[in-house]
Amino acid sequence: MRKLLFLFLAVSFTNCNLCVAKSLSTEEVLALININTKIATPAHVSKILGKPADIEEGRKRTTWYYSNDNNDVTISWNNKSDALERFYFKKTGCEKANFDFSVGKKLQSGTTDIYQAIKLLGLPDDMTVKSVTQVVHYEYKNSALRLFFRDRVLVDFTLLSNNN
């Protein structure tokens, strides 16, 4: 019954050409991160982001796409289990700033969680969230910061310099 309801919901979305016209705020991205991927439903995601701009149906997964001028969000659902497999966020068209080392010093492996990191650093340039692993990237003028999380806790981070 649940699969039939999900299929009906997905088909009804494909008949609509609605898209998200607003830019995602930091709070909306944090709300997405707080969703437990093991128990997330399309209703949870729709409550936060609204209806997707496009839906792609495949044999193994269904992918929802949200897009606007400032960011793109892609959410993949497993068709067999109806579970949220992955969500990908990408911020576009923003001017790059210099990396603030005083903020970077507040990141601590093993204690900082993904929620705290995004509150501290702001919206990432791109982010991939899966059930166990999360990867967050920030691009700065002459460097890139990559944060690696396992079960939403910071495992490792790297600041790569791009001095030309």
Side-chain angles (χ1 to χ4, degrees):
M1 180 68 176
R2 183 175 172 191
K3 289 182 182 182
L4 185 61
L5 186 61
F6 177 70
L7 181 62
F8 175 75
L9 182 65
V11 169
S12 66
F13 283 154
T14 58
N15 292 333
C16 300
N17 283 332
L18 301 174
C19 66
V20 178
K22 60 181 178 132
S23 178
L24 252 61
S25 69
T26 303
E27 295 306 317
E28 288 169 318
V29 172
L30 291 173
L32 269 176
I33 289 169
N34 282 334
I35 290 177
N36 184 341
T37 56
K38 294 175 183 159
I39 61 171
T41 65
H44 287 117
V45 174
S46 294
K47 185 176 180 182
I48 296 169
L49 297 177
K51 296 179 182 177
D54 191 25
I55 296 176
E56 183 179 296
E57 296 273 348
R59 283 186 54 213
K60 294 184 178 184
R61 68 189 45 87
T62 298
T63 307
W64 289 8
Y65 297 96
Y66 296 86
S67 182
N68 63 35
D69 293 337
N70 298 324
N71 49 50
D72 298 320
V73 176
T74 304
I75 299 174
S76 296
W77 301 94
N78 182 307
N79 288 345
K80 187 174 182 180
S81 65
D82 292 335
L84 190 148
E85 283 185 338
R86 164 183 103 101
F87 102 76
Y88 177 74
F89 170 84
K90 181 160 182 68
K91 183 173 67 171
T92 57
C94 293
E95 189 174 322
K96 296 181 182 354
N98 288 321
F99 179 70
D100 183 359
F101 287 96
S102 65
V103 172
K105 290 179 183 178
K106 296 178 183 177
L107 297 171
Q108 296 184 356
S109 296
T111 58
T112 304
D113 66 23
I114 192 168
Y115 188 87
Q116 293 168 327
I118 291 175
K119 288 281 265 186
L120 183 67
L121 298 167
L123 282 178
D125 288 293
D126 67 77
M127 168 176 54
T128 303
V129 175
K130 297 179 184 177
S131 63
V132 177
T133 59
Q134 302 81 38
V135 180
V136 180
H137 296 131
Y138 290 90
E139 295 291 329
Y140 298 99
K141 283 185 180 176
N142 293 321
S143 59
L145 177 64
R146 295 179 182 6
L147 301 136
F148 302 95
F149 297 87
R150 184 170 297 118
D151 292 323
R152 303 179 189 279
V153 176
L154 185 63
V155 175
D156 189 25
F157 60 97
T158 306
L159 182 65
L160 302 170
S161 179
N162 186 18
N163 294 330
N164 291 332

